[in-house]
Amino acid sequence: MQRTEIESLGEFGLIRRLTEQTVLRQPSSLLGIGDDAAVINPEGKRVVVSTDMLCEGVHFDLSYAPLKHLGYKAVAVNLSDICAMNALPTQVTVSIAVSSRFSVEALDELYAGVHKACAVYGVDLVGGDTSSSTSGLMITVTALGLVDGEQAVSRSGAKAGDLLVVTGELGGAYMGLQVLEREKVVFQSAPTAQPDLSGHEGILERQLKPEARTDVIRELADLELKPTSMIDISDGLASEVFHLCASSGLGVKLYEDKLPIDPHTYKTARDFNLDPTLCMLSGGEDYELLFTISQDDYEKARNHPKLSVIGHMLEDKDEKTLITKNGLETPLKAQGWDGIQQSNKAEES
Ligand code: ADP
Ligand code: MG
């Protein structure tokens, strides 16, 4: 494959190449790339802004994350943060720091993912910055979104008795990562081995190419259902539940049998000797939305195919309980990915 050095284009040539296909779709985007700054017209709405940085070796591993997926994911996870405020995303800026290890063609791939995500979500790329890096790749995305008057939702508005709701299904992204890690180990010991990823496409997509739930934000608006508090699930359900509890000054009761998992994720967790519930609680990177609603809105959420009511908020901020499938009360724990592996080892021994 052809390899064009970044140097041969220079900074401005590179920016032009990566951004020349950019189109503006949003009426609020008055001026995009090419000037000193972009100009946005919120037309009386409120502007929501969020930034996330992704660093090679910390947030992604290029030995299994294709650059196109990485570009897509970098945008999608930022749009997810905008959704978590009950807003709809409208613009992004993308800043990159790259070392000479990367060719222009590699950056084309990265930006193919960025442009794809912008097209899928109807969001405009309106700026960014380009820098060299002495080691590795860094991508910073800033997302902007708009929300009507009083509709923005923070983490802190939940009330005792509010119902806790989660979108979609949980644990898939974590199990996708487990499959990728397994194949990476196999590959490192026998570089000619072909990775065995077949059948796992769904969970690999969940890990490599997560989606932001703009669809749910639109449907909540159609239902006239305004959450009382909301957060997106980047670290894992339990950890995000703890954030909502801390911000709202409340406790929580969760029901294990209400947690949504898709059958393939469940089976893969079992095959890996992992507890599917632990994968849902602590897996992370599902980018689903977690929110609370008033009990008066129960009927609106109850039969919605994308929503699961998984528990409720408690007055006592020190009580955070999981009711297991057997009806036992256990303290809810927020453990990271390492925690899953450790408790798995403890179960084995
Ligand atoms: P400045 O010197 O004012 O920072 P730049 O030369 O860095 O301007 O950028 C020129 C234009 O290209 C600006 O509109 C900027 O937002 C945009 N831009 C620069 N780098 C990127 C990038 N990696 N992705 C998207 N847009 C970019
Ligand atoms: Mg610049």
Side-chain angles (χ1 to χ4, degrees):
M1 202 177 104
Q2 197 190 344
R3 180 184 164 100
T4 312
E5 299 301 327
I6 293 172
E7 276 181 357
S8 71
L9 287 185
E11 186 186 332
F12 299 119
L14 178 66
I15 294 173
R16 198 174 317 117
R17 169 144 168 175
L18 297 178
T19 62
E20 64 191 352
Q21 65 180 101
T22 306
V23 287
L24 298 182
R25 305 174 179 89
Q26 291 282 343
S28 57
S29 302
L30 297 189
L31 185 60
I33 291 168
D35 219 300
D36 294 304
V39 182
I40 311 294
N41 179 5
E43 290 195 87
K45 295 195 179 191
R46 296 193 185 171
V47 182
V48 176
V49 187
S50 180
T51 287
D52 255 309
M53 190 185 286
L54 294 178
C55 302
E56 185 176 359
V58 181
H59 301 103
F60 58 90
D61 182 338
L62 288 175
S63 61
Y64 54 57
L67 279 160
K68 185 174 174 183
H69 285 154
L70 183 64
Y72 191 97
K73 180 172 181 171
V75 172
V77 302
N78 274 275
L79 304 187
S80 177
D81 278 321
I82 300 296
C83 291
M85 303 304 292
N86 203 32
L88 284 169
T90 45
Q91 289 88 16
V92 288
T93 66
V94 175
S95 300
I96 51 172
V98 269
S99 70
S100 54
R101 179 159 69 81
F102 293 88
S103 65
V104 170
E105 286 76 14
L107 296 181
D108 283 342
E109 276 296 297
L110 181 74
Y111 267 73
V114 167
H115 290 301
K116 177 79 198 286
C118 286
V120 165
Y121 292 99
V123 159
D124 295 342
L125 176 65
V126 295
D129 201 16
T130 308
S131 166
S132 54
S133 140
T134 48
S135 69
L137 174 65
M138 266 184 294
I139 313 170
T140 300
V141 177
T142 299
L144 290 95
L146 297 176
V147 60
D148 281 327
E150 305 286 302
Q151 293 300 309
V153 172
S154 69
R155 296 180 181 182
S156 60
K159 299 275 176 296
D162 281 358
L163 304 172
L164 192 64
V165 180
V166 69
T167 64
E169 278 146 348
L170 300 173
Y174 178 74
M175 286 319 302
L177 184 66
Q178 297 315 300
V179 170
L180 288 167
E181 295 275 4
R182 179 185 70 187
E183 294 310 313
K184 186 180 168 187
V185 171
V186 172
F187 184 75
Q188 279 167 343
S189 55
T192 53
Q194 285 297 311
D196 181 15
L197 303 172
S198 59
H200 292 302
E201 290 79 7
I203 55 177
L204 294 175
E205 264 209 6
R206 292 286 286 177
Q207 168 59 223
L208 295 172
K209 198 175 152 291
E211 304 291 354
R213 297 310 306 251
T214 50
D215 57 329
V216 171
I217 297 306
R218 287 199 180 85
E219 288 174 41
L220 291 179
D222 290 345
L223 285 168
E224 295 184 20
L225 174 49
K226 183 188 171 192
T228 53
S229 70
M230 182 148 58
I231 191 169
D232 71 324
I233 303 180
S234 50
D235 290 342
L237 176 68
S239 157
E240 313 302 356
V241 167
F242 275 53
H243 285 309
L244 284 188
C245 286
S247 295
S248 297
L250 298 171
V252 72
K253 194 171 271 190
L254 276 189
Y255 295 84
E256 183 183 16
D257 64 345
K258 304 286 187 211
L259 300 181
I261 190 166
D262 103 290
H264 182 76
T265 303
Y266 185 91
K267 180 177 180 306
T268 311
R270 284 283 182 222
D271 291 348
F272 274 72
N273 270 316
L274 293 169
D275 173 5
T277 297
L278 217 46
C279 294
M280 287 188 280
L281 287 172
S282 301
E285 295 210 281
D286 286 313
Y287 296 101
E288 295 294 344
L289 295 170
L290 174 71
F291 54 90
T292 53
I293 61 172
S294 154
Q295 287 191 16
D296 300 339
D297 286 326
Y298 177 60
E299 283 305 319
K300 293 179 182 172
R302 191 163 71 109
N303 291 317
H304 194 294
K306 294 177 183 172
L307 306 181
S308 302
V309 179
I310 60 171
H312 58 267
M313 307 305 280
L314 303 173
E315 190 73 60
D316 179 1
K317 67 177 170 26
D318 295 321
E319 187 185 344
K320 296 181 185 89
T321 312
L322 178 72
I323 311 294
T324 69
K325 286 177 183 162
N326 307 325
L328 298 174
E329 293 203 4
T330 59
L332 182 66
K333 291 198 201 80
Q335 46 187 190
W337 295 3
D338 298 347
I340 297 186
Q341 306 291 356
Q342 271 160 18
S343 61
N344 188 45
K345 284 202 189 88
E347 256 173 47
E348 277 168 14
S349 63

